[in-house]
């Protein structure tokens, strides 16, 4: 159990949807933390020490003990600070929340990134198709719930912030239609609820510089083609 | 909490390392269950109904409620039947157990399968390299512990049964050297402990027909090249 004498540090990069997940979890819990911005072109000693395997952000450090992988960090935060629960208490509902958050990573985040940040056209198209399929499963799953977690934000909503905030930027940059109110009306409505939730709002990066960052990345990918 | 009037069903395929994970968890807990062997070339209505997204085994059904994804099933079993714990109780140790079991899937299971069951030679070689790197991280991690879980089998050991039992068959079939006592002495010793543990032993499929099954799959892959 967490005490009041905590050292809580997050190594992040402000544009990262994975880092944003951890920020939402910390802000939902009201946990104060030190944020360290990493330069991913020149990774710090601290990042390499704490995440020698993947060398990626986010890394969460609690009283000197590091954890990598955003969904595992969110689940750890929920284990360590019990108030404002992020996962349901019922074992079956917990399993479903883990299932859908893993689904989002495997079937939406991975293909949606490849649909934009890949040079090969066939690969882009295949990945766009796959992410549309993934989004359709989520459209069927959200039904008329406010959030995947019900009335409150839960693990699946946190995992899916990528869909609500990042996919709209990515599709605009690449001139694609992935996540639109026309294709996915219920999921789109959920996305609007999510990004306007006060805790999510304070956790998101500002849109314009984030858009510019990814646009730069996109253009340099095709410039070097 | 689980009561004595349980309906517990596992849809599986006997050669599958992922199904074996669930069997180990159930046998560690001493949970009685009904096992249904699936014909993966002719999937049952039940499998398609319970796992419409991935259409894969294992599927675990507890009192009519289905769960897919082997590691999530193992964690659910540990949540639903509290005795003989599979995950540590400490939040940080839980996070590490989840980290390493996900690492095993991403950095060993996926590349080791591709290193064998892929036609393209370059892709085979790259994946063999990647699985060796993954195994090296585990060699460093096991140190002189009996199991990853300590004195008892835990989530990481269950995830890693693929390494102890399946990789030796796969490398023999493909004429590769991935997991040998020479390359990974500590991990090899761990693997021997694991497959000789009575609960694991009763959960593993018989070696000879399993070997023949994968040899057949390997040969048909190259016959149709």
């Amino acid at each position: 159990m967490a005490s009041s004498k905590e050292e809580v540090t997050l190594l992040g990069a402000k544009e990262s949807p994975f880092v944003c997940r951890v920020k939402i979890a910390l802000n939902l819990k009201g946990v104060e933390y030190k944020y360290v911005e990493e330069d991913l072109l020149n990774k710090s000693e601290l990042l390499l020490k704490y995440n020698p395997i993947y060398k990626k952000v986010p890394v969460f450090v609690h009283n000197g003990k590091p954890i990598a992988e955003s969904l595992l960090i969110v689940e750890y935060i929920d284990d360590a600070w019990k108030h404002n629960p992020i996962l349901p208490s019922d074992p079956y509902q917990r399993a479903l929340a883990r299932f859908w958050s893993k689904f989002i990573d495997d079937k939406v985040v991975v293909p949606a990134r490849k649909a934009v940040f890949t040079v090969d056209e066939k690969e882009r198209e295949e990945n766009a198709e796959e992410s549309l399929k993934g989004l359709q499963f989520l459209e069927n799953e959200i039904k008329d719930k406010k959030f995947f977690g019900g009335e409150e934000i839960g693990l699946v909503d946190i995992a899916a912030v990528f869909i609500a905030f990042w996919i709209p930027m990515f599709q605009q940059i690449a001139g694609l239609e992935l996540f639109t109110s026309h294709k996915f009306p219920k999921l789109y409505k959920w996305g609007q609820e999510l990004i306007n939730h006060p805790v999510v709002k304070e956790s998101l990066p500002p849109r314009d510089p984030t858009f510019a960052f990814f646009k730069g990345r996109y253009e340099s990918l095709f410039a070097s083609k």
Side-chain angles (χ1 to χ4, degrees), chain A:
Chain A
M1 187 59 71
S3 79
S4 59
K5 263 285 187 209
E6 302 283 351
E7 276 189 59
V8 182
T9 304
L10 172 61
L11 310 187
K14 54 186 178 306
E15 299 86 1
S16 161
F18 308 107
V19 171
C20 181
R21 289 173 172 173
V22 179
K23 288 183 179 174
I24 296 173
L26 290 167
N27 290 336
L28 277 174
K29 298 281 184 182
V31 172
E32 286 188 28
Y33 64 99
K34 184 180 160 200
Y35 177 75
V36 180
E37 178 76 10
E38 280 289 327
D39 174 0
L40 296 181
L41 297 176
N42 185 18
K43 293 174 184 176
S44 74
E45 292 285 318
L46 212 60
L47 177 60
L48 300 176
K49 174 183 152 194
Y50 282 141
N51 190 3
I53 296 181
Y54 296 106
K55 305 178 178 75
K56 282 183 186 169
V57 293
V59 173
F60 183 70
V61 193
H62 187 196
N63 298 329
K65 290 182 282 187
I67 307 172
E69 301 270 347
S70 62
L71 293 176
L72 302 185
I73 297 170
V74 171
E75 197 158 348
Y76 171 78
I77 290 169
D78 199 41
D79 260 354
W81 288 273
K82 298 285 185 194
H83 62 284
N84 301 351
I86 292 170
L87 274 90
S89 58
D90 172 68
Y92 185 67
Q93 295 302 322
R94 291 169 78 81
L96 289 185
R98 291 183 184 122
F99 175 85
W100 285 110
S101 52
K102 184 175 188 305
F103 175 86
I104 287 165
D105 268 357
D106 295 345
K107 298 296 176 185
V108 181
V109 174
V110 169
R113 296 210 295 180
K114 286 188 186 160
V116 174
F117 298 103
T118 304
V119 171
D120 183 79
E121 201 179 317
K122 186 158 169 267
E123 214 178 317
R124 288 159 62 89
E125 278 171 17
E126 285 169 358
N127 279 289
E129 273 308 305
E130 194 179 340
S131 47
L132 287 170
K133 270 189 216 162
L135 290 167
Q136 186 62 53
F137 277 112
L138 295 170
E139 172 78 6
N140 301 344
E141 184 60 21
I142 187 70
K143 300 184 184 89
D144 293 307
K145 287 183 291 189
K146 185 171 177 188
F147 296 115
F148 286 97
E151 280 305 300
E152 303 294 336
I153 289 175
L155 182 68
V156 181
D157 300 286
I158 293 175
V161 71
F162 174 82
I163 298 168
F165 187 76
W166 274 264
I167 290 188
M169 290 190 287
F170 287 4
Q171 67 188 2
Q172 187 181 339
I173 289 168
L176 279 172
E177 281 202 1
L178 295 175
F179 178 50
T180 63
S181 60
H182 176 70
K183 281 193 209 296
F184 303 111
K186 288 177 180 173
L187 197 61
Y188 193 85
K189 186 161 168 267
W190 156 86
Q192 292 300 309
E193 285 280 2
L194 188 74
I195 59 178
N196 286 302
H197 184 290
V199 167
V200 175
K201 222 168 180 167
E202 69 166 321
S203 310
L204 289 170
R207 192 185 185 280
D208 290 353
T210 307
F211 184 88
F213 171 85
F214 286 109
K215 190 157 188 281
R217 176 184 282 191
Y218 180 81
E219 286 174 356
S220 72
L221 183 74
F222 286 89
S224 61
K225 191 178 166 179

